[in-house]
Structure formats: structure tokens, C-alpha cells
């Protein structure tokens, strides 16, 4: 980017892509971190929409950016993600009022930090399997961004419910969906189930229909 930082990433461009398409930024979990291009970037698409694209040949109606962090998601790395997102949005003439964010596990927790640093950037948020709640101090950053949170374990189900509750209590617009126990990766590709391709949920359609206020 323009500060000299580098980051590997996967980028999904739909067939017959047009100008003003929406874009989704997906942040991976901790076990998918890595700094080797060939191995590390493969980890970045182990779970989530990248899994669906590579393993299930899924087709989506959005540009999907899947950056690869060498560790977790500290503010310095999130800044590079934003710089990368800006470059992709410009290069592919993305509708900048329809850039949404999703994250799994540690990437889910990073959404709150991202919204606190860049409060007017994203149009929707989809936290998946957060292992830390959105406290009252962070809930205020979700006020102007529609949020849909998902979980499938006992303790993360409670976290998903509390996240939505805290966001709504702060004046936001959040909803949650919890599932019977599917394990930590059960919603993002394990056993070939993914909420991104669930035809009843239609999550990608929901994300891409939200516009930044």
C-alpha cells in the first residue's frame, strides 16, 4: 500500500462482473494466519466464502476480498486491510456504499476494532463464531451498520445473542441466528455446510443489499 506495507490476499471476481458491484471483506481466524504465500494464503480460504469458492465451486454476486494476516488483526494490519480494500474498490469500480465486512473467530472479534477505527466505511457486518462479546463500549460503533451475527456452540451462541442485545440497546439494528452444536467451524465449511451458501438464509444477498448511511 502507500505506506509500504504488503499483504497477500485472495480476490474473487464474479463472472461477467460490472461496475458498481458490492464488495465483501472477510477476515479469517487465528489458525489461518501465515506469512508464506503458497501455504499462508491457502489458509486464508480454509473456511468462509473462500472455502465455498475453491471447494464447492460457489458463485457469488459480489467481489470478495480475503486478506491474509501474518498473525492476528492488530490496528496496523487492519489499516493495511483498509488500504487494500480501497485499492480493490478503485481498480474494480466497486460501489463504495456497499462494502460489507464479515469475520470468523478472531476475525469476528476484529470486526469491532475495525468499526471503531473506520466507523463510516462499511455497510453491513456479519460476525461469525465470536469468542468475545461486543461490550457496551464497542456496541456504539454498530449503531449505523446493520449486523447479523451467527454461532453454533453453547458459549458462542450466548455471545451472539448478547452481541445483538448490546448493539440494539445502544440504538443499532442487529439480529442473531444460532444453530444446534456444529463445532467451531461448522458454519463456514466443515462437512461442506456454509451459511454463505445456505439458500434459506441468503446471507450474501442480505449483505449486498445493505447501503452505507
Amino acid at each position: 500500500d502507500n505506506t509500504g506495507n504488503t499483504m497477500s490476499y485472495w480476490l474473487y471476481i464474479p463472472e461477467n462482473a460490472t461496475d458498481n458491484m458490492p464488495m465483501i471483506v472477510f477476515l479469517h481466524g487465528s489458525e489461518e494466519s501465515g506469512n508464506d504465500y503458497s501455504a499462508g494464503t491457502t489458509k486464508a480460504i480454509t473456511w468462509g466464502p473462500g472455502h465455498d469458492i475453491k471447494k464447492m465451486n460457489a458463485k457469488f454476486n459480489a467481489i470478495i476480498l480475503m486478506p491474509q494476516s501474518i498473525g492476528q488483526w492488530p490496528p496496523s494490519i487492519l489499516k493495511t486491510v483498509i488500504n487494500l480494500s480501497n485499492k480493490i474498490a478503485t481498480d474494480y469500480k466497486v460501489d463504495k456504499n456497499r462494502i460489507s465486512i464479515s469475520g470468523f473467530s478472531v476475525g469476528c472479534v476484529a470486526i469491532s476494532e475495525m468499526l471503531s477505527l473506520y466507523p463510516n466505511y462499511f455497510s453491513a457486518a456479519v460476525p461469525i463464531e465470536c469468542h468475545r462479546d461486543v461490550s457496551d463500549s464497542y456496541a456504539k460503533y454498530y449503531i449505523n451498520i446493520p449486523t447479523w451475527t451467527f454461532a453454533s456452540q453453547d458459549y458462542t451462541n450466548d455471545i451472539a445473542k448478547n452481541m445483538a442485545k448490546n448493539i440494539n440497546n445502544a440504538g443499532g439494528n442487529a439480529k442473531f441466528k444460532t444453530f444446534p452444536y456444529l463445532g467451531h467451524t461448522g458454519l463456514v465449511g466443515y462437512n461442506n455446510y456454509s451459511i454463505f451458501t445456505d439458500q434459506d438464509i441468503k446471507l450474501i444477498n442480505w449483505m449486498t443489499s445493505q447501503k452505507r448511511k
Side-chain angles (χ1 to χ4, degrees):
D1 62 17
N2 55 12
T3 64
N5 294 319
T6 61
M7 172 173 279
S8 297
Y9 62 94
W10 283 89
L11 184 65
Y12 170 77
I13 305 295
E15 295 178 7
N16 303 315
T18 61
D19 292 352
N20 295 314
M21 291 200 75
M23 183 166 75
I24 295 168
V25 178
F26 181 80
L27 305 180
H28 61 69
S30 61
E31 292 186 5
E32 291 79 70
S33 301
N35 58 7
D36 175 75
Y37 179 80
S38 59
T41 55
T42 300
K43 291 180 180 180
I45 59 170
T46 300
W47 309 115
H51 169 276
D52 303 338
I53 294 163
K54 290 289 286 186
K55 300 291 180 60
M56 307 302 293
N57 198 31
K59 308 294 182 184
F60 295 117
N61 61 337
I63 292 172
I64 303 179
L65 171 62
M66 295 161 280
Q68 174 68 46
S69 176
I70 61 173
Q72 307 268 320
W73 298 103
S76 59
I77 297 297
L78 295 179
K79 180 179 180 180
T80 302
V81 171
I82 288 294
N83 289 337
L84 174 59
S85 176
N86 286 333
K87 174 176 170 51
I88 298 301
T90 298
D91 289 350
Y92 291 91
K93 298 181 174 60
V94 165
D95 181 350
K96 295 183 179 179
N97 289 318
R98 291 191 295 157
I99 300 177
S100 54
I101 186 168
S102 180
F104 165 67
S105 191
V106 168
C108 173
V109 174
I111 293 175
S112 295
E113 186 73 23
M114 183 72 95
L115 296 184
S116 73
L117 295 170
Y118 307 97
N120 299 310
Y121 192 88
F122 295 101
S123 58
V126 176
I128 304 168
E129 277 293 303
C130 273
H131 53 76
R132 191 176 74 201
D133 201 351
V134 172
S135 65
D136 293 340
S137 60
Y138 273 104
K140 61 186 179 183
Y141 297 111
Y142 289 80
I143 291 175
N144 294 319
I145 177 170
T147 303
W148 197 354
T149 184
F150 296 87
S152 68
Q153 299 183 94
D154 291 341
Y155 79 102
T156 54
N157 277 344
D158 289 340
I159 288 172
K161 295 175 184 178
N162 287 332
M163 285 177 66
K165 178 181 177 181
N166 288 341
I167 292 167
N168 289 330
N169 285 344
N173 175 20
K175 58 183 178 177
F176 69 90
K177 182 173 178 59
T178 60
F179 293 73
Y181 182 80
L182 295 173
H184 189 47
T185 57
L187 301 181
V188 289
Y190 188 74
N191 284 336
N192 295 326
Y193 172 79
S194 169
I195 58 172
F196 292 102
T197 53
D198 189 313
Q199 293 303 304
D200 292 326
I201 296 174
K202 294 182 171 60
L203 180 58
I204 297 293
N205 289 345
W206 180 83
M207 295 176 76
T208 57
S209 67
Q210 310 302 320
K211 288 194 174 184
R212 181 164 55 90
K213 295 182 179 179

